[in-house]
Amino acid sequence: MPPTTGLGVLRHEDPRLLERLEESAGVTEGGATSAEQFEKWFSARCAAQVHEVTPIPFAAMRNWSFAEGTGNLVHDSGRFFSVAGLDVEVGEGPVRTWSQPIILQREIGVLGIAVREINGVLHFLMQAKAEPGNPNGVQLSPTVQATKSNYTGVHQGRKVPYLEHFVGVEPRQVLADVLQSEHGSWFYRKRNRNMLVEVGQEVEAGEDFCWLTLGQLHEQLAIDHRVNMDARTVLSCLPGIGTGGLADRGNGLHTASELLNWITNSQATYDLGTTLVGLTDLPGWRRSEWTISHERDLFFSVNAVEVIANSREVSSWTQPLFQPHGVGVTALLVKRIDGVPHALLHARVEPGYLDTIELAPTIQGTPENHEYVQGAVHEQLRDFPGLCERGRVLFDTEMSEEGGRFYHSRSRYVIVEVGPDHPEEEPQGFRWMTLPQITWLLQHRHYLNVQARSLIAALRTCVA
């Protein structure tokens, strides 16, 4: 019988898949790439990849302009992405209405990691890739990380390596394949295809690529700004890692039906209204020659940059980037209930979600912004240092968000295990869930937000 999750049955052509993944997660030495070889390769790629990013005025952008009438920031091709305005109205919270810029990118991109058995152990083909918004240049990325405009050649650049292993792939090769959202505060209904595909022995690592075991990837997750957002979200979609074979059905605080009912009820009943509008005269925002910013200099700004790169499909381009103001805090509480680790997830509303609500970490916010907004998140952020002191910090790493759209977007990602004295009582809008239950949800679209997915990828490295 295939292993069960307590929420359903996980099926795959390979009955040993979970065992093979667990074996890979246990290998940190003796893989195809030693720690010394990896550090030498990664340092060489960082030195070789030139990525110069220079702020420029909007008027200096090539192939970008503000559309007549709406004032939206658009590309001449009508592809890639655009920046529009969004009016938002919510049913509860400290702020009920607001307006903001938002990224429109209706294309579904491909985020794919190739997996191959080497010397009997599964390895993952990771790419060393620089993005214009990365705070440190090069980070570990998926094998393929491409928008549809990129991989169909709209930019008239070089082909995307390894793409053929993800487009038109045989179903028997697929380990995971699911549509997941991006940041609901900055993207409007944006989704990517998260894929893990097993390939044959003929697939070798190119100059900017390296084979790593899952255990080695788990080590890299603990290093600041080492594993990029796209790789983290793909890794979170792996079936069964760190869940004891998904065999703990019935041990959760809530049943499968209770959790699904709660999520569906939250999505169906919460009042959220969004209307796409033009950037021209967007309430609360001002535009200069160099930036679009909030009138209180909070939240984020939209800026233009010129990029010169020697390792991308094209060697130079200009584009807008969203620049967040402040360093975010993204934290997950973990508690053992009847001996079973549970994570406290929040049904969070963001205007760009396709389904209104997605499950978010226990705490998610930027202190500077919530000092102004106030409300429940402000109180959580204020109490966060004391919570870390009282609990046991399992994971504490600064990570950046998607460097192709966001400039130096940094957040402190933290997992805190709280003790038996921490109340099991769930605040309104929160639920305790086991890791097997979360893993099952991640096999389906639009349940966990991108910040929660990053933390789940990390949680699997530190909770047994």
Side-chain angles (χ1 to χ4, degrees):
M1 287 289 291
T4 61
T5 66
L7 287 170
V9 177
L10 177 67
R11 302 185 185 277
H12 190 269
E13 295 288 340
D14 179 5
R16 288 192 61 245
L17 174 61
L18 301 185
E19 182 182 344
R20 296 168 73 209
L21 290 170
E22 292 285 3
E23 288 173 352
S24 182
V27 175
T28 57
E29 297 291 342
T33 308
S34 69
E36 182 179 357
Q37 289 171 327
F38 170 78
E39 291 299 337
K40 183 177 180 180
W41 167 80
F42 191 75
S43 296
R45 302 332 304 151
C46 290
Q49 292 193 19
V50 176
H51 221 73
E52 299 178 2
V53 182
T54 305
I56 58 174
F58 291 123
M61 286 199 298
R62 301 185 297 276
N63 305 117
W64 290 86
S65 60
F66 289 100
E68 187 176 349
T70 65
N72 290 349
L73 194 49
V74 298
H75 192 265
D76 291 351
S77 67
R79 301 286 295 276
F80 296 108
F81 66 97
S82 60
V83 181
L86 189 71
D87 288 338
V88 184
E89 184 175 354
V90 296
E92 59 185 58
V95 179
R96 302 295 180 90
T97 61
W98 72 89
S99 300
Q100 65 169 89
I102 196 110
I103 298 172
L104 302 182
Q105 189 172 353
R106 294 184 172 88
E107 299 177 346
I108 295 177
V110 173
L111 306 178
I113 297 179
V115 183
R116 174 188 151 189
E117 193 170 280
I118 303 176
N119 297 327
V121 178
L122 288 179
H123 286 65
F124 296 71
L125 187 58
M126 307 305 294
Q127 179 181 182
K129 185 172 186 177
E131 294 280 8
N134 286 352
N136 63 330
V138 175
Q139 296 185 13
L140 284 177
S141 308
T143 316
V144 169
Q145 177 184 319
T147 66
K148 189 172 183 180
S149 290
N150 284 342
Y151 70 73
T152 57
V154 174
H155 51 38
Q156 298 181 332
R158 297 190 297 270
K159 292 183 178 180
V160 177
Y162 304 102
L163 179 67
E164 67 274 14
H165 298 289
F166 300 91
V167 176
V169 63
E170 289 286 336
R172 61 184 175 82
Q173 296 177 263
V174 176
L175 307 186
D177 188 0
V178 59
L179 292 177
Q180 299 287 13
S181 63
E182 288 207 30
H183 294 75
S185 291
W186 297 329
F187 278 105
Y188 190 68
R189 302 182 178 180
K190 173 71 170 71
R191 299 175 295 165
N192 282 319
R193 190 175 180 182
N194 288 234
M195 304 181 70
L196 290 112
V197 173
E198 188 163 3
V199 298
Q201 299 296 315
E202 74 282 357
V203 178
E204 298 182 353
E207 186 177 43
D208 288 328
F209 297 81
C210 182
W211 290 107
L212 296 176
T213 68
L214 195 53
Q216 290 173 314
L217 279 172
H218 287 170
E219 290 184 330
Q220 296 302 311
L221 278 167
I223 301 174
D224 289 353
H225 304 293
R226 176 59 62 88
V227 180
N228 82 352
M229 183 206 79
D230 299 298
R232 300 191 306 261
T233 180
V234 175
L235 290 172
S236 77
C237 296
L238 273 170
I241 295 302
T243 63
L246 299 180
D248 69 339
R249 67 181 301 170
N251 290 341
L253 185 62
H254 300 285
T255 68
S257 295
E258 289 170 347
L259 290 175
L260 290 175
N261 172 258
W262 172 69
I263 294 170
T264 304
N265 185 65
S266 299
Q267 293 174 333
T269 61
Y270 193 91
D271 291 329
L272 170 68
T274 59
T275 304
L276 288 170
V277 297
L279 277 179
T280 300
D281 299 324
L282 192 66
W285 295 79
R286 60 197 177 198
R287 180 179 131 192
S288 70
E289 294 181 4
W290 288 77
T291 188
I292 300 170
S293 59
H294 188 262
E295 60 188 5
R296 293 179 179 267
D297 291 321
L298 294 169
F299 309 119
F300 64 91
S301 57
V302 184
N303 306 315
V305 297
E306 179 169 26
V307 185
I308 298 176
N310 68 347
S311 59
R312 298 295 293 271
E313 292 83 6
V314 293
S315 60
S316 67
W317 70 92
T318 62
Q319 69 168 95
L321 286 173
F322 276 36
Q323 181 173 353
H325 295 182
V327 177
V329 172
T330 306
L332 188 67
L333 293 195
V334 175
K335 178 181 171 67
R336 294 181 183 270
I337 302 174
D338 294 331
V340 177
H342 286 64
L344 186 61
L345 294 176
H346 175 214
R348 180 182 173 94
V349 178
E350 293 189 0
Y353 291 153
L354 188 65
D355 291 320
T356 304
I357 283 173
E358 292 190 8
L359 301 183
T362 318
I363 303 171
Q364 180 184 320
T366 302
E368 296 90 333
N369 295 335
H370 287 280
E371 184 73 31
Y372 162 70
V373 173
Q374 297 291 303
V377 177
H378 169 68
E379 295 175 6
Q380 286 183 314
L381 292 168
R382 182 196 60 200
D383 297 340
F384 175 67
L387 188 64
C388 291
E389 291 177 4
R390 295 189 301 273
R392 182 165 69 101
V393 176
L394 304 179
F395 185 87
D396 189 351
T397 303
E398 187 172 286
M399 296 177 170
S400 49
E401 307 307 325
E402 214 283 302
R405 299 292 177 266
F406 312 131
Y407 184 78
H408 291 192
S409 176
R410 300 158 49 217
S411 290
R412 180 185 173 193
Y413 278 81
V414 185
I415 301 173
V416 182
E417 184 173 7
V418 295
D421 56 332
H422 189 88
E424 288 181 17
E425 181 181 355
E426 296 158 322
Q428 183 178 358
F430 291 78
R431 287 294 185 274
W432 292 106
M433 299 184 187
T434 67
L435 189 48
Q437 290 171 334
I438 293 169
T439 294
W440 185 85
L441 289 173
L442 283 167
Q443 307 304 301
H444 302 79
R445 64 185 69 180
H446 309 151
Y447 277 133
L448 270 72
N449 76 358
V450 69
Q451 291 90 342
R453 297 198 300 274
S454 286
L455 281 168
I456 295 307
L459 180 63
R460 290 170 175 160
T461 73
C462 54
V463 172

